[in-house]
Amino acid sequence: GLFALTATGAASALAAEPAPNDGLNATYWTQKAVEFKANAYGQYMLAQVRLEQALADKSWTALPGEQASGYESLPTAVILDLDETVMDNSGYQAWVVKTNGHYSSKTWTPYVNSETSGAVPGSLEFIKFAQSKGVAIFYISNRKDHEEKATIANLKKLGYPVADDGSNVLVRGEKEEWKKSAKSPRRMAVGATHRVLLNIGDNLGDFTDESDGTPAERLAVYQKNQDMWGKQWIMIANPTYGSWEGASFGFQWKLSDGEKRQMKLDKMDAWKGPE
C-alpha cells in the first residue's frame, strides 16, 4: 500500500511540472536577458560607426554582386530585415512555448495583425542616426503581402520611419518576382537605385541566398564572406528560430520533435567525458 501511495505522489508531482520545450531557454533569453539587449544594442552601435566609414568610402557596398554598376554615385541606403532584427516577436515565441505548439502561418498572421511586436534594442537609434546622415531606410521582410498593412502600422506605432506609400517595406509576394523567400531579387531592387551601405539581419538568408545548405555548407558560406561580418554585414543574434535550425535536420520540418532533436544531437561535437 505504501509503495502505491508513494508512486502516485511521484506521478502527480511529475504531472504538475511543466512539459519540457526545446524553445524555452532561447525564448526566455531573447525576452528577459539583459545579455541579449546589450548584444543587440552593441551591434547597432557598431553599425553607426560602420555607416560613417561607408559614407566616406564611395566604393563601399553591402551588396557584393547584387549592386548596379556605377553604384558609387547613387544615393545611399541601408537594408534591414524586420523580424528579430528590428521587430521583437518574442511574445509570439513565448506563446508557442507556453502552448507547446509550433510556428504556423495560421497563428502567425493573427499575431502580426495584433500589431504587438516590440523593438529590438538599438535598432531605432541606428535608423534615426542613418536618417540624420541622409541615408534611405529599406526593410526587406519575409512577412507576406497580406501582412504588410499591419506590419507598417506596427512599425509606425514603435516610431520607425515608413514611407507613406509603404514603398520602403519590401515584403514577400508584393510583386510576382518576390514570391519566394529568397531575398536577392529584393536586395537587387534596392541596389538598382541606391548604394547600399549596410545590410542588417538575424539570419544567413538576409545576406545571401546560399543559406539552405547543410551545416558544413553554411560554414563555408560564412567563411567565404568572412570580411563582410561586422563591417558591411551586421548580424543580430536570434537563437529562437532560423535557417540554422532547419539545416540541422535537412529542412524536413514535418519530422517529429523527437526525430529533429535526435538529428541535432547527432550533429553536435561533444566532449568524450571523464575517463
Side-chain angles (χ1 to χ4, degrees):
L2 186 62
F3 172 74
L5 275 172
T6 314
T8 309
S12 65
L14 209 61
E17 279 194 4
N21 186 287
D22 291 353
L24 175 58
N25 254 8
T27 302
Y28 188 90
W29 185 78
T30 304
Q31 195 170 66
K32 298 296 178 188
V34 296
E35 289 84 351
F36 167 73
K37 290 174 173 49
N39 184 274
Y41 191 81
Q43 290 298 94
Y44 275 112
M45 292 304 103
L46 169 63
Q48 291 193 21
V49 175
R50 294 305 192 190
L51 188 82
E52 301 230 63
Q53 292 176 335
L55 284 166
D57 176 0
K58 291 282 192 190
S59 68
W60 180 300
T61 172
L63 298 185
E66 295 176 334
Q67 185 79 77
S69 60
Y71 70 87
E72 294 87 351
S73 58
L74 292 174
T76 56
V78 292
I79 290 173
L80 301 105
D81 167 59
L82 282 181
D83 294 316
E84 278 47 78
T85 299
V86 167
M87 304 176 91
D88 170 1
N89 306 298
S90 59
Y92 176 78
Q93 295 300 124
W95 175 79
V96 168
V97 169
K98 283 191 171 195
T99 57
N100 209 25
H102 292 94
Y103 167 86
S104 148
S105 54
K106 286 185 182 138
T107 58
W108 172 249
T109 300
Y111 171 76
V112 169
N113 289 337
S114 76
E115 299 172 19
T116 52
S117 296
V120 171
S123 56
L124 186 56
E125 291 91 333
F126 167 76
I127 287 169
K128 287 187 166 169
F129 178 78
Q131 279 196 307
S132 77
K133 301 285 178 184
V135 177
I137 311 298
F138 287 91
Y139 308 102
I140 298 184
S141 171
N142 275 339
R143 290 188 174 203
K144 298 197 174 109
D145 192 23
H146 61 86
E147 295 163 341
E148 185 172 25
K149 189 169 172 245
T151 299
I152 288 171
N154 198 155
L155 283 167
K156 285 182 172 172
K157 263 188 206 175
L158 295 169
Y160 291 98
V162 181
D164 289 338
D165 60 358
S167 57
N168 67 332
V169 180
L170 286 63
V171 294
R172 184 174 171 183
E174 193 177 331
K175 293 185 179 179
E176 187 61 35
E177 61 270 31
W178 298 353
K179 274 198 167 160
K180 293 190 173 148
S181 59
K183 291 183 170 180
S184 185
R186 284 173 280 166
R187 287 192 296 263
M188 288 176 80
V190 178
T193 56
H194 290 76
R195 174 165 76 98
V196 178
L197 307 180
L198 298 177
N199 189 359
I200 306 180
D202 67 294
N203 196 352
L204 189 58
D206 296 330
F207 305 92
T208 168
D209 287 353
E210 295 181 278
S211 59
D212 285 352
T214 63
E217 287 166 340
R218 286 162 57 83
L219 178 62
V221 172
Y222 155 77
Q223 289 168 333
K224 182 173 76 176
N225 294 291
Q226 194 81 63
D227 292 345
M228 303 292 289
W229 303 115
K231 290 170 86 175
Q232 297 92 338
W233 292 356
I234 307 282
M235 181 77 82
I236 306 298
N238 172 17
T240 62
Y241 66 88
S243 52
W244 57 270
E245 185 186 14
S248 71
F249 45 77
F251 298 94
Q252 299 173 76
W253 294 98
K254 289 194 163 63
L255 292 174
S256 73
D257 285 350
E259 287 171 311
K260 287 188 277 198
R261 196 175 302 139
Q262 188 61 59
M263 289 172 87
K264 288 177 191 174
L265 287 166
D266 291 345
K267 284 187 173 65
M268 289 175 81
D269 303 318
W271 175 52
K272 289 191 175 80
E275 294 300 325

